[in-house]
Amino acid sequence: MLDNAIPEHLRGDRTLPANTPSADFQPAYPSYSARFPEKATELVMALIGAQYKTKTVADALGQSKISSFLVSDEAAPSFHEWTSFIDNKGYYNLVAFAYWPSTADYETWSKESGFKKWWESLQVGDHSNGWFLEVFNPPMQRFETLFNTQTPEGSGHLREAWSGEIQKHGYWGSMRDRLPISLTDSLEGTKVSIDPSPGAQDRVRVPGKQNLAIIRSGQDWLITTPEERELYLNTMQPVLIKGMDFLRDHGEEVDCYSCRFMDVIDPATRAADKDRTFGVAYFSDLKSLESWCKKHPTHLAIFGGFFQYAKKLKYNVNLRVFHEVMVLEPDQQFFEYIGCHPGTGMLQ
Ligand code: HEM
């Protein structure tokens, strides 16, 4: 018996049609969703970043400063990890990705650890690098996860349990069907043009947008056999990078505001030797994200490539993939940039 991706306490009467091909639809392969405690009304995902002109000038100060808050005893995040990426202007960015089980916990941490005071005191020009803070508070109705194995990533570290094998995956539109709010809400966004940034010299706050769709989509090839690793690195990863480069450099063609293809790194050496990457992208709404996946040659090449890959491995795939998706109201998003170049995140 297949499980429902939406946990029982978030199910309600559907007023909008589901996309599932038929009531007895059986996906071709298993996948799971993370289950969060029933009392959890939302969670928090934050990206705290330091931006450097090049990798070689990245000093340890920014990273150790941010780390000192994250390991504080005061409501420290339930999970965090260090990541890095080279952005659209060739800058090197070090980012702590952190999760809290509630907005109240995040606020307590921010205040009690001293992070808030430090963040608010930052002045452009005090440091050679830029800083950015992006915080998202998705209510559980506006959040969904999909894992091809029961291996936690991201918000999955905050789970209480795993679902059984779910029915709602393996067809276009299943992401929408897994979001509890989509039972009754079509989640349309508003296309807002972003004002040109005042420049690199300022602290800039960017307002949230109605039904902004955010995806973190991860790949982990740590436990692949040597044969699968080679196949992944030579066939899958190049098409994935092409797709991420397209969204980063030409995102406006598909209403994607920002895309970063990030490595999970060893915080001590900053080496990207964890065999894990992920894409983080901000789309104008769920429809534009769906449309890129279903219609654009770059995701179609990733998607089609994956089935070729699985076939070559006789379906013995050890690559782990997951994603988490949230669709947010304006007051569930916070973007602030200090001394960052104008192409950063939601500034562009
Ligand atoms: C869906 C493959 C990377 C966005 C899917 C599905 C597969 C797939 C097999 C169907 C999943 C299911 O419902 O069971 C892959 C592989 C990737 C990759 C192998 C990397 C190696 C990405 C990235 C993004 C992305 C980086 C976005 C930044 C999506 C979305 C869906 C999807 C939004 C859901 C579409 C829907 O249900 O309507 N992908 N993908 N994927 N993928 Fe990818």
Side-chain angles (χ1 to χ4, degrees):
M1 173 78 175
L2 292 167
D3 205 352
N4 192 324
I6 302 182
E8 202 172 346
H9 64 281
L10 295 177
R11 283 175 219 158
D13 291 337
R14 180 177 276 291
T15 58
L16 294 173
N19 300 300
T20 326
S22 64
D24 59 357
F25 173 74
Q26 297 268 349
Y29 49 90
S31 286
Y32 310 86
S33 291
R35 295 281 198 231
F36 300 95
E38 196 170 332
K39 68 175 190 332
T41 52
E42 81 275 318
L43 57 79
V44 175
M45 176 175 98
L47 285 74
I48 311 172
Q51 183 181 75
Y52 301 87
K53 249 199 147 123
T54 61
K55 189 171 180 180
T56 43
V57 302
D59 57 35
L61 287 176
Q63 190 188 358
S64 60
K65 191 72 200 170
I66 296 169
S67 275
S68 70
F69 298 119
L70 292 172
V71 298
S72 124
D73 289 342
E74 309 300 334
S78 305
F79 175 73
H80 81 272
E81 62 193 339
W82 278 93
T83 64
S84 73
F85 69 102
I86 305 287
D87 68 23
N88 49 359
K89 300 267 190 285
Y91 282 56
Y92 175 72
N93 295 261
L94 273 168
V95 184
F97 236 96
Y99 294 81
W100 286 262
S102 72
T103 304
D105 284 319
Y106 170 78
E107 298 288 354
T108 304
W109 165 79
S110 178
K111 215 165 141 219
E112 304 295 330
S113 68
F115 173 78
K116 189 176 162 71
K117 198 163 166 215
W118 170 77
W119 180 260
E120 287 172 355
S121 73
L122 280 174
Q123 299 284 335
V124 176
D126 285 357
H127 300 85
S128 56
N129 62 287
W131 305 95
F132 59 87
L133 177 62
E134 299 177 347
V135 186
F136 308 109
N137 310 55
M140 287 306 169
Q141 287 87 347
R142 289 175 166 266
F143 189 68
E144 69 90 8
T145 61
L146 183 68
F147 295 78
N148 76 334
T149 69
Q150 293 183 336
T151 308
E153 284 271 8
S155 63
H157 289 277
L158 279 61
R159 78 198 181 285
E160 180 180 72
W162 291 106
S163 70
E165 289 185 22
I166 56 170
Q167 184 196 33
K168 287 189 174 16
H169 80 97
Y171 60 90
W172 299 125
S174 62
M175 163 177 65
R176 182 180 288 270
D177 289 349
R178 291 186 296 271
L179 283 163
I181 194 170
S182 75
L183 292 167
T184 57
D185 189 328
S186 59
L187 295 169
E188 272 164 45
T190 40
K191 304 256 155 64
V192 192
S193 58
I194 300 183
D195 292 336
S197 142
Q201 294 311 306
D202 303 281
R203 175 187 282 260
V204 187
R205 177 93 55 97
V206 178
K209 307 197 180 337
Q210 185 61 34
N211 288 331
L212 184 79
I214 296 183
I215 181 164
R216 179 180 184 194
S217 166
Q219 309 77 38
D220 167 355
W221 61 99
L222 186 69
I223 60 157
T224 54
T225 59
E227 182 201 1
E228 182 173 353
R229 166 179 294 261
E230 200 185 320
L231 194 64
Y232 177 73
L233 295 174
N234 292 331
T235 62
M236 278 308 307
Q237 199 179 53
V239 277
L240 173 62
I241 291 174
K242 246 190 193 160
M244 298 293 92
D245 285 354
F246 166 78
L247 288 179
R248 184 190 66 189
D249 300 332
H250 305 285
E252 72 287 351
E253 290 176 25
V254 291
D255 294 322
C256 175
Y257 295 118
S258 163
C259 180
R260 298 150 170 161
F261 184 53
M262 307 171 81
D263 290 304
V264 178
I265 59 168
D266 179 331
T269 60
R270 297 199 200 126
D273 57 3
K274 299 283 185 198
D275 293 346
R276 285 165 60 221
T277 53
F278 56 93
V280 181
Y282 306 159
F283 280 78
S284 62
D285 63 8
L286 199 63
K287 205 158 81 195
S288 53
L289 172 56
E290 286 172 323
S291 171
W292 173 72
C293 288
K294 191 175 160 181
K295 296 187 188 145
H296 198 271
T298 53
H299 188 265
L300 289 179
I302 298 170
F303 182 80
F306 182 62
F307 290 101
Q308 297 286 326
Y309 171 92
K311 204 168 156 192
K312 275 193 197 132
L313 295 165
K314 301 195 173 51
Y315 301 97
N316 248 331
V317 173
N318 287 307
L319 175 71
R320 296 184 286 217
V321 289
F322 90 102
H323 81 205
E324 51 197 15
V325 171
M326 53 189 92
V327 182
L328 302 174
E329 303 253 32
D331 64 358
Q332 293 154 3
Q333 312 155 40
F334 176 91
F335 301 100
E336 199 163 77
Y337 304 89
I338 302 170
C340 290
H341 69 68
T344 311
M346 291 298 278
L347 284 179
Q348 54 195 311

